[in-house]
Amino acid sequence: MSNELARDCSVLHRQCYANFLFQNPKIFERLESKKKFRLSWKFTIRICIKVFIHSLFRTFYLFNQARIANKNSLIKAWVDINISEWQDSVEILDCGVLVLPFPISIRRQWRFIKYLRRNNLNYTLYGYKYSLRTLLRFCIQRTPKSLVELEVGAQDYYVSDVVSLGPTKLYVMDDVEFYSHYANSKLIERGFNILFSAHGIGRYSLHYNCTNYTFFNDAQHSFFDEFNFLRKFEIKFKSSGIYDRASILDFTSVCFISQLSKTQTREYNAIEKRVLEVIKRVCPDDVELIFKRHPNSRNLECPEGYLELERLDEYKKTVLFLTLYSTAYYSFQDYGQTILIETKELDSKNIFGNNERIVREEELDTLFSTSEEVITKSF
């Protein structure tokens, strides 16, 4: 981290910037290699566009905040999963819903907004309030310190907004936001109860703060425990058991759960396409190949030789789900058996732990073998 940031910023500021660098390793490499570091103009323009979009959402909020005021609970949301996660434990109709911009998939967010309207939920679009003076300073300086000041300033306004709305509980899945660590810490200081659930198996932030944590597995909990003081926490899924061929029931379809989306790297895209080709090559002709696209995918064509999954319940109990590291490994278990694929580039055990159903890419053919020797072999 830059000496400038370490010298002039608070611990919370530095932790938020560490979150940013964690998800932007290329920027971190440039920062380490240059004594005088400046963020690129391309990155700066992206920040300006982000501020503009938030200002549009905020205008809507200023006229509609009464719809969610004086509720006991607020849900911080972007898309459908931010509501569905809490439906079993929260009376959604009695909550207010803040909908923040989701630029990864405008179509997905629009479907979410229509869902909120159709079900008469108390919601409003919400945008962070950015200081124009601080934005101008950032555009001129383009330093890590000026970026942190811009974003943390917006989080201060967010804290003020939440306090004025009057809830006591916040339901969040905002580990994807680098600077939510700052806002949550300030709200906890004011006595707010912040209930967090990881929205996926990924690790988007080093530092995170809330009053109740919900993780997918022990490995995810251990990661966050290393960098944070965890208060109350629970874990959704315990180990499913190491894969062996004898444990796989008969199936008529194989569904690959894709992670391809706008946010993925070219390197990952190449790995997934390679694995899809391997599956197609080793899979018997009488087994149907299905492709489940990621909800945030854009203009993604279904791979040749695969059928696109339309309705999940149509394949219940007859499908074998394969994925590299999708959270669907857990969430699709009600519809069929799930297995993780480990490649030389992606170590599934690092994210899911050592005691899960994992098969190596070079041994995918064993899934479809009927020989007694392979069936009794464990991995």
Side-chain angles (χ1 to χ4, degrees), residues 249-285:
L249 302 177
D250 292 336
F251 52 87
T252 58
S253 304
V254 169
C255 178
F256 183 84
I257 305 163
S258 175
Q259 288 293 100
L260 291 179
S261 69
K262 182 183 177 183
T263 59
Q264 282 292 0
T265 63
R266 292 181 180 177
E267 291 79 7
Y268 175 82
N269 293 350
I271 295 169
E272 183 167 307
K273 289 176 182 178
R274 184 187 74 214
V275 170
L276 284 164
E277 286 298 317
V278 173
I279 295 172
K280 185 167 67 172
R281 186 177 70 248
V282 302
C283 188
D285 294 337

Side-chain angles (χ1 to χ4, degrees), residues 176-190:
V176 295
E177 279 200 310
F178 314 130
Y179 303 94
S180 62
H181 172 59
Y182 175 89
N184 291 348
S185 299
K186 294 296 182 182
L187 287 168
I188 290 172
E189 289 176 3
R190 292 172 175 258

Side-chain angles (χ1 to χ4, degrees), residues 85-195:
E85 173 64 23
W86 305 110
Q87 283 183 331
D88 293 337
S89 56
V90 180
E91 184 53 62
I92 302 296
L93 291 174
D94 293 334
C95 292
V97 182
L98 290 175
V99 182
L100 285 83
F102 188 71
I104 297 174
S105 177
I106 297 174
R107 181 182 299 177
R108 185 180 180 188
Q109 184 165 69
W110 177 240
R111 288 199 303 267
F112 174 54
I113 293 172
K114 288 196 293 185
Y115 167 83
L116 295 173
R117 294 175 61 184
R118 187 168 60 249
N119 289 276
N120 296 316
L121 299 182
N122 302 300
Y123 83 96
T124 178
L125 302 186
Y126 178 81
Y128 293 132
K129 181 180 179 181
Y130 287 90
S131 163
L132 292 180
R133 178 182 296 179
T134 311
L135 175 63
L136 179 60
R137 185 186 304 126
F138 165 70
C139 291
I140 294 172
Q141 297 178 354
R142 293 186 291 121
T143 61
K145 184 173 182 291
S146 61
L147 173 64
V148 171
E149 288 176 344
L150 174 68
E151 294 287 1
V152 167
Q155 295 298 313
D156 277 323
Y157 283 117
Y158 164 72
V159 170
S160 297
D161 288 338
V162 171
V163 171
S164 67
L165 289 170
T168 58
K169 288 184 180 180
L170 270 74
Y171 293 89
V172 299
M173 304 173 77
D174 56 1
D175 51 329
V176 295
E177 279 200 310
F178 314 130
Y179 303 94
S180 62
H181 172 59
Y182 175 89
N184 291 348
S185 299
K186 294 296 182 182
L187 287 168
I188 290 172
E189 289 176 3
R190 292 172 175 258
F192 281 79
N193 189 13
I194 301 180
L195 296 93

Side-chain angles (χ1 to χ4, degrees), residues 293-311:
R293 69 172 65 230
H294 191 277
N296 296 336
S297 62
R298 276 190 185 179
N299 303 321
L300 177 64
E301 294 183 2
C302 184
E304 185 177 352
Y306 288 78
L307 298 174
E308 185 166 350
L309 179 66
E310 297 292 343
R311 288 179 56 86

Side-chain angles (χ1 to χ4, degrees), residues 5 24 40 43-44 62 93 103 119 143 166 168 177 203 207 223 231-232 266 281 346 366:
L5 200 71
N24 292 274
S40 69
F43 178 87
T44 303
L62 293 176
L93 291 174
N119 289 276
T143 61
T168 58
E177 279 200 310
R203 299 160 184 180
H207 303 283
F223 172 81
R231 296 172 175 83
K232 297 179 181 179
R266 292 181 180 177
R281 186 177 70 248
L346 299 173
T366 63

Side-chain angles (χ1 to χ4, degrees), residues 315-329:
Y315 300 95
K316 191 173 183 180
K317 296 182 180 179
T318 64
V319 65
L320 177 66
F321 293 101
L322 303 178
T323 185
L324 295 180
Y325 69 89
S326 172
T327 308
Y329 171 74

